[in-house]
Amino acid sequence: MTRPLLFIAADPRECLPWVARWDESHALPLPVHWARAGKWQGRAVIAIANGAGAVRAAAAVAASPEPSAICSIGFCGALDESLLIGEIFVATEVRNGTRNYRVITPTAPPARTGVLISNKLIVQTAAEKKKLREMGCHIVEMEAASVARASEDLRVPFYCIRAVSDLANEDFANDFNSFLMPNGRFSVPRLILGALRNPVVRFGELIRLSRRTALASKNLGDFLAACAF
């Protein structure tokens, strides 16, 4: 049996434009939130979205059939002030604060490259982002280091490609960490109740973030389709 190329994300929205390009795409019955299998240019591919955070990402890899290679994909926060919304970033190194992981660069169109850091929590403020930038990091997210560790354990190549969904100089008005549940998903009722405390600012931010992630997801799908792994 041909081993698939595996893509790990936190949310299905990070995968949908990419999976839409596959042939024979279908739901895959795995013990995860969301999984799809198909073929891309004749190659077996799987995408799994299993919620935010290191534990959820590791569980996603563990639930998958043995892959030929693994790629961490999804949204990210910019630490570098020159990065723009929707811009593609190909990690050349992944860190988690205690370890640095080697990343393979795919054959791909030109894109921004550099160091990604996986944080335990969503980075809420520009001040937090500045501290991470001063450590030599360019983008931040929550899952890539866990996927890198899993790839290392499986002894398969690891790739990491992200799309920017929030800027380096921005604070979040919504406290997203307080709405994140143990299953890696956001509690929508709590998110709405929290936004009602300052509806103009907080609902405005949610609408803006929805538009940004839609652009990031589209650009990510276009870029992945142009890559050779």
Side-chain angles (χ1 to χ4, degrees):
M1 181 178 178
T2 302
R3 293 191 299 166
L5 174 59
L6 175 61
F7 296 87
I8 299 293
D11 189 281
R13 294 174 301 159
E14 298 169 317
C15 304
L16 289 173
W18 169 222
V19 171
R21 295 171 175 267
W22 296 359
D23 298 319
E24 303 174 24
S25 175
H26 60 277
L28 190 63
L30 296 176
V32 296
H33 291 329
W34 182 95
R36 296 292 184 274
K39 291 185 177 179
W40 171 249
Q41 297 181 343
R43 187 176 184 181
V45 283
I46 291 175
I48 297 176
N50 196 39
V55 172
R56 304 302 307 180
V61 177
S64 172
E66 186 176 353
S68 60
I70 306 177
C71 184
S72 174
I73 64 171
F75 308 139
C76 67
L79 304 177
D80 183 333
E81 293 180 346
S82 68
L83 284 166
L84 305 176
I85 296 297
E87 191 163 6
I88 298 299
F89 189 94
V90 178
T92 54
E93 181 181 312
V94 166
R95 302 176 182 175
N96 65 1
T98 58
R99 279 204 57 187
N100 300 347
Y101 294 93
R102 178 174 174 265
V103 186
I104 296 174
T105 303
T107 302
R112 297 291 294 274
T113 61
V115 179
L116 174 153
I117 186 162
S118 290
N119 206 55
K120 291 181 180 180
L121 298 173
I122 296 166
V123 177
Q124 287 276 143
T125 68
E128 291 176 278
K129 294 175 185 177
K130 184 174 183 291
K131 290 181 180 179
L132 294 174
R133 182 168 67 248
E134 290 171 349
M135 295 167 55
C137 303
H138 301 94
I139 64 168
V140 62
E141 51 74 78
M142 297 175 66
E143 298 83 32
S146 179
V147 180
R149 173 61 185 272
S151 302
E152 186 179 83
D153 291 344
L154 291 170
R155 299 183 179 180
V156 298
F158 171 68
Y159 304 88
C160 183
I161 302 171
R162 295 279 168 163
V164 175
S165 58
D166 59 275
L167 300 174
N169 59 359
E170 293 179 319
D171 297 336
F172 281 131
N174 292 279
D175 181 5
F176 289 106
N177 285 305
S178 68
F179 307 133
L180 191 61
M181 299 183 292
N183 66 2
R185 294 170 162 178
F186 290 101
S187 169
V188 175
R190 287 167 56 191
L191 189 59
I192 292 172
L193 285 173
L196 286 172
R197 295 172 186 170
N198 189 346
V200 174
V201 173
R202 294 188 180 184
F203 277 115
E205 179 178 78
L206 294 177
I207 293 168
R208 184 167 62 252
L209 189 59
S210 177
R211 291 171 179 164
R212 289 177 170 189
T213 53
L215 175 62
S217 183
K218 176 187 179 299
N219 290 354
L220 184 58
D222 290 345
F223 187 84
L224 290 168
C227 290
F229 298 94

